[in-house]
Amino acid sequence: MASASVTTSADALAERFALLKRQGRRALVCYATAGHPDPEASVALLRALDAAGADVIELGVPFSDPLADGPVIQASSQQALGHGVTLDRTLAIAAAAKVRAPLVLFSYLNPVMAAGPQVLQRAARAGIGGVLITDLPVGADPERERWLANGPLAFIRLVAPTTPANRMAEISRHGSGFVYLISRLGVTGAQATLAADLPATVARLRGVTDLPVCVGFGISTGEQARAVGAIADGVVVGSAIVRAAGESVEAAATLVRGLRTALDSA
Amino acid sequence: MTAAAPAAPLASSDRFGPFGGRYVPETLIPALDALDAAFDDAMRDAAFTAELAELLRTYVGRPSALSTAPRLSAQVGAMVLLKREDLNHTGAHKINNTIGQALLARRMGKARIIAETGAGQHGVATATICARFGLECVVYMGEEDMRRQALNVFRMRLMGATVVPVTSGTRTLKDATTEAIRDWVTNVEGTHYIIGSVVGPAPYPRMVRDFQRVIGDEARAQVLALAGRLPAAVVACVGGGSNAMGIFHAFVNDPDVALVGVEAAGHGLDTGAHSASLARGTPGVLHGSLSMLLQDAAGQVHPAHSVSAGLDYPGVGPEHAWLQESGRATYVSVTDDEALEGVALLSRLEGIVPALETAHAVAWIAKERGRWTSGEPVLLCVSGRGDKDVAQLSQMPRFRDQLGA
């Protein structure tokens, strides 16, 4: 794999998971809202997350109506929009950051649609390796799903706790990169405890896919990361990082270093 | 009564042409599948439709009257006929849909109901039926709308509903809807979300239309009985578009009947402060469906504006987008000032104080003098009564000065 002379951005994601598998480690997937707390700090934050041990960074595209997000990410999105950060500047921030960790564009469908048919190529040129669309479930819009699946980016799909087993298989077949398993009902945001049925849900999902399984929603502490790392290939931490980034880039980096240590001791 | 015309054929059950669909988080997909199946099953169940019809008759007071409007007709130069949804229990068409969905929720074993509301009419209609059925009721309402429609907030609370102020975004209907969806994603297993208009992910646009089609089914028969012919035009205001879809549906296959939806032009279409998503929007995804949407070039939703909280929404039902694109319906718009004129006009000429939303449709008809001949029936949907608006109106200089208050 290392011999490939032309590396597409989607390959970067696959190579990262392959490397982690060889090392027997779990992926630490960190989320940041592009342009939060402001565009300059956003670039510094991505570099800090990269240096602190993030394996994959989800870069949130600010949207006016983030219906799947809890208060922390909503507020960060509003703040970024206040700085004029939409999809175009999100790509500029990604390009400026030049991080080693593969970047995944995390967006609602509308800004991606509005950006036009070349947006996936533009994202790839900005160093983005994958795309995840919160409000585009499998089967909702076959034409746009094909466009996303056939583009230069890995197309990451979501599985929910309510998803029946046969649909889990269908979702996995239509995705690439990794499968994002939502750990519990609800919107994004830190929770004190993990869902009790999570191990069973992960096991069901593993039964139908060979893609890496990353678990997100509600994970904020090293202890939770370690618990999830024991059953999944990766752990996604979002709101906790965004909250820390609201204080300072260094606060976010400290949190991520702690998560990294906890996850590697799993 | 004659049978209603069948629905226009669609490419698939969850699309109207290219519009509609289900653009929601994965978590909601099984609930939407279950709702879709339960709705179709219920509508085929004679016991369900009989119970719905009985409640509409004895609780809502249907069929609603069709009134002549002699003085307005003389002014417009047509035979204006008023479909009186304002006479329904709770004062608007909204209750037709909330009764249907509450029956469905009960049938599905969901004991908790959530809803969004703009003007408060849908919130009141939801709180009403929840009280009648003993269901828990939580209504999300923008803080700005709670101020504009304080009376409806009190009515909801009086009937035992919890009204949750929404402080995000524009603090109006758009953000109340977003917040209701967040609640549903969190509590989907025991909760039914009663969406108040023909918006949202499939099957809502189709289901809400089918619960509202009683308006047009009744009106079509009533106009035929009264005038001996179909109306030349059917006119209704459009925010999300549920009263319009409800009255249009029975006439979609009558090519000689013009269907006219009236959007809110707010301060004017060129000011950027309006709610005319069909006139000035572009295709986009909001609240689970692809439709016409007020948005900027980056795909960020543009705040809507209307003097009427019920029309103050940047999106519109996907079936309206399709009726416009296919040319079957025409969409026009009326400014805030013209709508206020519409309130005064119907009040003085006919003794009917219409809701501000309805007043947009009144104002458009009044502007169209000369479009029709005096014998031609023009059917106007009086979607709601203006009681909820009188406190707001009485504070406006226009009314204070004219009425010498």
Side-chain angles (χ1 to χ4, degrees), chain A residues 64-66 110 141 162 167, chain B residues 23 26-27 174 182 295 300:
Chain A
S64 52
D65 297 84
N110 205 52
D141 189 334
T162 52
R167 189 170 159 83
Chain B
Y23 299 90
E26 169 66 22
T27 305
K174 169 180 85 93
R182 289 183 184 125
Q295 58 182 326
Q300 305 292 336

Side-chain angles (χ1 to χ4, degrees), chain A residues 63-66 71 74-75 77-79 81, chain B residues 141-145 165-179 182 287 301-304 312 314:
Chain A
F63 182 50
S64 52
D65 297 84
Q74 281 176 49
S77 200
Q78 275 302 314
Q79 205 174 330
L81 286 172
Chain B
M141 189 169 186
E143 209 173 41
E144 169 66 15
D145 289 339
V166 175
T167 56
S168 55
T170 55
R171 305 174 184 212
T172 60
L173 179 56
K174 169 180 85 93
D175 305 284
T177 306
T178 300
E179 206 55 44
R182 289 183 184 125
H287 297 148
V301 179
H302 196 279
D312 197 344

Side-chain angles (χ1 to χ4, degrees), chain A residues 62-70 74 78 81 85-87 109-111 113-115 134-138 140-141 144 158-164 167 171 182 184-187, chain B residues 14-15 21-30 33 168-169 174-175 178-179 181-183 185-189 283-288 290 293 295-302:
Chain A
F63 182 50
S64 52
D65 297 84
L67 56 77
D69 284 303
Q74 281 176 49
Q78 275 302 314
L81 286 172
V85 177
T86 57
L87 182 51
L109 180 59
N110 205 52
M113 271 171 58
T134 320
D135 53 354
L136 186 62
V138 166
D141 189 334
R144 287 193 175 85
L158 294 127
V159 167
T162 52
T163 307
R167 189 170 159 83
I171 291 171
I182 299 169
R184 59 170 169 78
L185 299 180
V187 294
Chain B
D14 69 353
R15 294 267 168 182
R22 276 185 183 177
Y23 299 90
V24 293
E26 169 66 22
T27 305
L28 294 179
I29 292 296
D33 280 340
S168 55
K174 169 180 85 93
D175 305 284
T178 300
E179 206 55 44
I181 293 172
R182 289 183 184 125
D183 180 313
V185 175
T186 310
N187 302 297
V188 63
E189 283 165 342
V285 170
L286 178 68
H287 297 148
L290 174 66
L293 180 63
Q295 58 182 326
D296 66 17
Q300 305 292 336
V301 179
H302 196 279

Side-chain angles (χ1 to χ4, degrees), chain B residues 103-117:
Chain B
L103 279 173
L104 199 54
R106 205 172 61 176
R107 187 181 169 96
M108 295 173 74
K110 309 255 180 171
R112 180 174 178 269
I113 298 293
I114 58 171
E116 84 296 336
T117 198

Side-chain angles (χ1 to χ4, degrees), chain A residues 87-184:
Chain A
L87 182 51
D88 280 350
R89 289 190 69 187
T90 298
L91 299 185
I93 286 166
K98 292 188 177 60
V99 291
R100 288 168 305 145
L103 290 168
V104 171
L105 208 56
F106 192 101
S107 185
Y108 291 83
L109 180 59
N110 205 52
V112 172
M113 271 171 58
Q118 288 305 308
V119 65
L120 303 178
Q121 282 71 21
R122 285 168 50 210
R125 282 197 298 276
I128 306 280
V131 59
L132 186 157
I133 309 282
T134 320
D135 53 354
L136 186 62
V138 166
D141 189 334
E143 196 179 322
R144 287 193 175 85
E145 290 174 69
R146 269 194 300 276
W147 169 64
L148 285 153
N150 296 335
L153 309 182
F155 186 22
I156 293 129
R157 312 308 293 264
L158 294 127
V159 167
T162 52
T163 307
N166 58 344
R167 189 170 159 83
M168 279 186 180
E170 195 189 342
I171 291 171
S172 307
R173 270 200 308 279
H174 287 89
S176 56
F178 61 91
V179 181
Y180 188 128
L181 174 63
I182 299 169
S183 70
R184 59 170 169 78

